[in-house]
Amino acid sequence: VAGTAATYYGFSDAERRRQLDTKVLGLRRAFRVCSCLGGVAVQYKMLLRRRDSLEPSEYQAQQVETHKRCASKVLEMCRANGGIFTKMGQHGATLKPAMPEEYVEALSSLQDRAPVRALGEIERTLRAELQLGADGSLIGGRSPFLEFDLSPLGCASLAQVHRAVLHDGTVVAVKVQHADIRAILDSDLVIARWLDWLASIAFSEQDFSLAWAVDEFESNVLLELDFEREARNAIRCRALFARHPSLSDLVVVPAVYQSLSSGRLLVMDFAEGIPVTQICRAARGEFSEALAQHTQAEARELGFQVARCLADIFAAMVFTYGFVHCDPHPGNILIQLPSEGAHRTGAGPKVVLLDHGLYRELPDDVRVANCGFWMAMALQSEQGVQSHCAS
């Protein structure tokens, strides 16, 4: 059987080989997920069986250790599989009130350090989207790029970003969708639904189900795979904040080059900045190189400024524009620090918003009712709260 399969593979054309590779990869990913989550389920089942025989403090200590072991296993599986599993891990890391702290801490590393794809895969996608031919050069000639750095700046669940330079000297960021990601996601969704079915049986007493999460991920990922849609979202967001009376100088949305972009390729201005998590750590006294010159008091004040700015940005999206960025995890937010002289004159940091693939539009009636609801809450008007909830 193995010999027949190898012979069939050897005589297949390149397209057929890629299809076979995707199917084999799907089986490997399914096995990896089953192995990981099966082990996790066994550990939690064993812990639940010991609960009645343990003191509350001892049970809590064992629960924390179980969370740590299982979170490490889940992180390893998400890294190895990528695709929708990286996306699920990123989402899990944002559910701080609902997820155990051990999971949030482990999965947060997926927010800006997803596995990097093979160089040949990225080159094939670029040549196809730029119509350069199978052997076309990525720089010079018919290519729009004078320079192209093949080492990615960052890698996410669906794409990775590279630095490039256009022929006029403009530095740009190039977002390249992972090859065969659509086929991989199809198999991942099948795996996820099957696992939800198994988990609902194994934990039927706890009424456990992840069906809602799988449905939500499926609809969201299909939107995020459309880079032309992302380009339109970014252009609209940039235009909205460009005319905002108080935030126009504080929000940076990189300009998109639509003529160079496609459904799987997005070219935009290169935006400098440091991860927002570095601001949070500096406020706690953990300074990165970029913030080494700041005092503890300055770092704390910088943190307050960034927090206020982010609150104002998303308040404008929710209450004023009804056009809301729905993937604002730390990997999608950079901070541009004021220059050495500027911050002493009162100039504040700027917020760079990245990854505009997932937005929600709020109808005007919902947006206005939401505004009224929060005003009623602030004014402690029970009648107002009831009225706006009803509307």
Side-chain angles (χ1 to χ4, degrees), residues 94-390:
T94 66
L95 300 177
K96 202 166 187 176
M99 289 279 282
E101 183 180 347
E102 293 77 15
Y103 281 87
V104 172
E105 183 177 348
L107 297 176
S108 62
S109 64
L110 294 170
Q111 291 172 339
D112 58 358
R113 294 193 298 276
V116 175
R117 290 302 185 94
L119 181 58
E121 175 186 309
I122 297 301
E123 290 179 327
R124 283 195 299 272
T125 302
L126 284 166
R127 290 191 179 99
E129 296 304 304
L130 295 171
Q131 300 179 357
L132 299 177
D135 300 318
S137 174
L138 295 180
I139 57 175
R142 295 169 51 205
S143 171
F145 306 120
L146 184 64
E147 299 176 16
F148 193 95
D149 188 353
L150 292 173
S151 298
L153 295 168
C155 186
S157 54
L158 307 180
Q160 60 190 52
V161 179
H162 296 257
R163 180 186 180 278
V165 180
L166 301 180
H167 286 282
D168 64 1
T170 303
V171 181
V172 294
V174 183
K175 185 176 180 180
V176 187
Q177 191 172 113
H178 297 320
D180 300 327
I181 189 67
R182 293 174 186 270
I184 290 171
L185 287 173
D186 286 342
S187 67
D188 283 354
L189 287 167
V190 171
I191 295 169
R193 293 191 185 283
W194 181 68
L195 287 172
D196 171 58
W197 176 73
L198 287 179
S200 64
I201 294 174
F203 293 93
S204 57
E205 295 177 5
Q206 287 76 31
D207 195 24
F208 180 84
S209 175
L210 287 174
W212 64 272
V214 178
D215 291 341
E216 183 75 10
F217 273 110
E218 182 174 12
S219 60
N220 289 348
V221 167
L222 292 176
L223 294 175
E224 292 186 83
L225 284 174
D226 184 357
F227 283 7
E228 290 176 331
R229 181 189 183 91
E230 179 174 349
R232 293 192 298 271
N233 288 343
I235 291 168
R236 182 177 172 184
C237 181
R238 179 181 169 87
L240 289 173
F241 281 104
R243 60 175 183 264
H244 193 282
S246 60
L247 294 173
S248 58
D249 293 331
L250 299 177
V251 181
V252 178
V253 179
V256 173
Y257 295 82
Q258 283 186 291
S259 62
L260 303 179
S261 301
S262 67
R264 298 196 300 159
L265 186 70
L266 187 62
V267 181
M268 67 204 99
D269 278 340
F270 184 84
E272 299 277 2
I274 64 172
V276 67
T277 49
Q278 289 191 16
I279 304 294
C280 302
R281 294 191 188 105
R284 299 194 300 264
E286 303 170 19
F287 291 90
S288 65
E289 184 177 347
L291 296 165
Q293 302 302 318
H294 288 67
T295 65
Q296 180 75 45
E298 289 174 338
R300 193 174 292 113
E301 176 58 27
L302 186 64
F304 286 136
Q305 290 177 340
V306 169
R308 283 196 296 267
C309 190
L310 283 170
D312 289 342
I313 290 169
F314 282 91
M317 289 182 177
V318 173
F319 299 118
T320 304
Y321 301 131
F323 186 61
V324 187
H325 189 307
C326 290
D327 196 17
H329 65 72
N332 289 338
I333 300 173
L334 300 178
I335 305 299
Q336 293 182 349
L337 301 176
S339 62
E340 184 64 27
H343 87 277
R344 301 189 188 284
T345 62
K350 296 183 178 182
V351 174
V352 182
L353 292 179
L354 304 174
D355 197 348
H356 299 268
L358 188 60
Y359 271 73
R360 286 289 184 269
E361 290 202 56
L362 304 179
D364 280 346
D365 57 339
V366 174
R367 179 182 60 80
V368 172
N370 196 26
C371 292
F373 169 77
W374 286 103
M375 285 184 63
M377 288 280 285
L379 297 172
Q380 299 183 5
S381 169
E382 182 178 350
Q383 182 179 358
V385 170
Q386 292 176 346
S387 172
H388 290 294
C389 283

